[in-house]
């Protein structure tokens, strides 16, 4: 729970607030943009909720916050906000909420499929979320995009007897028992409608997952930038090799998708695959020109 004695002075007065433990993951600003925004190097409440819709969004942000940095002095009933996750994005794709501090607040996603559900990266192993996913049929595969966002993968795997999938080049001590290890740089099918695409750059073993020809689960490879109004990647958060990341981005030209669902940064739905490709081309152009990489990743 957020601490009132650590309440940031940048918060507007009222029930909801952000304390100084905020890690600037951006999730509260995505979930409840009418309440939270970035002030300085952290989030803060710039407008208290004035209606039920805004209050519900603020409570969902509170539930999702990986560091429990959001407080509510009025202790509003959060049952509905807890039950909202996993939250429908579109069709059979869901946002898990319940972000983990161990993955620096990365977003994780859930796909409900007749041939077996998939968890992409790891949310917190929170009992309410576990129960909801149980009711939706459990987890067959757990796709780990890269080493940074594995969080509670072992708990999820043990509970659902899921098969974890990860690239060999990102395997570490905490993931040495992953059930399926991908090697090489060629795209491989995980199932009929699921394509694993190695995208080294952010980390050596980074991968993205393409679901059908519509959804790209992008890990930390690429995200939407509110500043540029297009897809974006930054050398400031590239831990392995920037040239490799540029090459990996160029590889995505060969695929069609209309959604980018990242671990960090904003998700994006394009009007069509062609519009998405145009945004991808702009991203690649900026990546090749460091002088254009001038603005913060989160907006």
């Amino acid at each position: 729970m957020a601490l009132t004695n650590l309440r940031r002075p940048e918060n507007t007065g009222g029930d909801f607030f952000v304390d100084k433990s905020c890690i600037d993951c951006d999730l509260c600003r995505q979930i409840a943009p009418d309440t939270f925004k970035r002030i300085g190097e952290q989030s803060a409440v710039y407008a208290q909720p004035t209606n039920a819709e805004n209050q519900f969004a603020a409570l969902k942000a509170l539930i999702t916050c990986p560091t429990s940095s959001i407080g509510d002095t009025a202790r509003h009933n959060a049952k509905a906000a807890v039950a909202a996750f996993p939250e429908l994005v579109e069709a059979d794709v869901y946002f898990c909420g319940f972000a983990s501090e161990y993955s620096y607040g990365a977003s994780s996603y859930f796909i409900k499929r007749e041939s077996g559900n998939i968890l992409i990266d790891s949310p917190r192993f929170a009992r309410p979320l576990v129960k909801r996913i149980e009711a939706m049929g459990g987890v067959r595969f757990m796709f780990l995009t890269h080493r940074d966002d594995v969080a509670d993968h072992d708990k999820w795997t043990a509970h659902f007897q899921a098969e974890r999938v990860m690239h060999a080049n990102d395997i570490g001590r905490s993931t040495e028992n992953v059930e399926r290890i991908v090697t090489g740089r060629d795209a491989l099918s995980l199932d009929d409608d699921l394509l694993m695409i190695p995208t080294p750059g952010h980390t050596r073993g980074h991968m993205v997952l393409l679901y059908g020809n519509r959804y790209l689960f992008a890990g930390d490879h690429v995200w939407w930038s509110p500043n540029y109004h297009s897809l974006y990647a930054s050398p400031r958060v590239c831990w392995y090799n920037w040239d490799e990341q540029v090459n990996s981005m160029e590889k995505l030209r060969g695929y069609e998708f209309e959604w980018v669902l990242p671990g960090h940064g904003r998700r994006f739905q394009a009007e069509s695959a062609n519009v998405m490709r145009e945004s991808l081309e702009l991203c690649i152009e900026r990546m090749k020109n460091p002088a254009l990489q001038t603005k913060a990743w989160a907006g």
Side-chain angles (χ1 to χ4, degrees):
M1 178 64 70
L3 301 176
T4 54
N5 63 318
L6 294 179
R7 180 175 181 142
R8 298 191 69 214
E10 291 84 354
N11 291 287
T12 190
D15 298 335
F16 287 91
F17 67 95
V18 179
D19 76 12
K20 294 178 181 179
S21 66
C22 170
I23 57 173
D24 192 33
C25 72
D26 189 45
L27 283 174
C28 68
R29 306 192 295 265
Q30 295 180 42
I31 294 168
D34 291 330
T35 298
F36 302 96
K37 72 177 179 180
R38 194 174 196 242
I39 304 177
E41 297 299 314
Q42 296 173 304
S43 292
V45 172
Y46 77 97
Q48 292 290 333
T50 56
N51 56 47
E53 181 181 357
N54 287 352
Q55 185 184 103
F56 183 50
L59 288 169
K60 287 193 295 182
L62 185 153
I63 297 301
T64 296
C65 179
T67 49
S68 300
S69 301
I70 299 173
D72 170 22
T73 57
R75 297 186 180 274
H76 293 93
N77 190 330
K79 273 189 176 181
V82 170
F85 298 111
E87 182 179 52
L88 184 66
V89 175
E90 183 187 77
D92 48 9
V93 173
Y94 297 78
F95 167 59
C96 291
F98 288 93
S100 171
E101 184 176 8
Y102 297 110
S103 60
Y104 206 79
S107 295
S108 56
Y109 302 93
F110 178 79
I111 309 175
K112 183 172 173 54
R113 302 163 64 249
E114 287 187 7
S115 54
N117 299 335
I118 301 174
L119 191 58
I120 296 104
D121 289 327
S122 177
R124 261 179 285 148
F125 189 76
R127 182 55 54 185
L129 182 62
V130 173
K131 288 184 176 180
R132 282 292 307 280
I133 289 178
E134 281 176 350
M136 296 172 77
V139 179
R140 177 185 174 192
F141 293 116
M142 189 168 190
F143 182 83
L144 302 173
T145 59
H146 66 298
R147 68 189 186 204
D148 298 339
D149 295 348
V150 298
D152 290 337
H153 70 97
D154 50 349
K155 296 178 182 178
W156 286 100
T157 301
H159 186 83
F160 287 108
Q161 297 300 297
E163 181 180 356
R164 290 165 294 183
V165 184
M166 193 175 190
H167 198 283
N169 288 336
D170 263 20
I171 295 291
R173 183 178 300 176
S174 73
T175 50
E176 61 186 3
N177 294 319
V178 161
E179 289 73 23
R180 187 183 300 193
I181 298 176
V182 177
T183 59
R185 298 195 173 193
D186 293 332
L188 297 169
S189 293
L190 180 58
D191 211 339
D192 291 343
D193 52 356
L194 295 162
L195 188 67
M196 304 180 290
I197 307 170
T199 49
H202 174 73
T203 60
R204 190 181 176 202
H206 195 287
M207 293 195 297
V208 299
L209 183 69
L210 181 62
Y211 177 40
N213 291 317
R214 189 162 177 81
Y215 305 98
L216 186 77
F217 297 92
D220 290 352
H221 180 60
V222 63
W223 56 89
W224 174 261
S225 168
N227 291 322
Y228 290 109
H229 299 286
S230 72
L231 296 178
Y232 185 72
S234 171
R236 292 173 48 225
V237 288
C238 177
W239 314 136
Y240 173 56
N241 185 292
W242 182 244
D243 290 335
E244 290 268 29
Q245 191 162 349
V246 174
N247 292 337
S248 294
M249 200 71 72
E250 291 182 314
K251 183 192 297 186
L252 294 183
R253 287 169 165 159
Y255 302 96
E256 286 193 358
F257 49 94
E258 297 179 15
W259 277 89
V260 165
L261 298 141
H264 290 101
R266 306 293 175 93
R267 68 182 78 146
F268 172 53
Q269 179 187 15
E271 295 176 4
S272 67
N274 286 335
V275 172
M276 181 65 80
R277 188 172 289 109
E278 291 171 3
S279 188
L280 180 63
E281 293 293 348
L282 288 172
C283 176
I284 293 168
E285 180 183 354
R286 280 194 303 273
M287 292 176 76
K288 290 182 174 180
N289 186 347
L292 299 177
Q293 300 278 354
T294 59
K295 296 182 180 179
W297 69 268

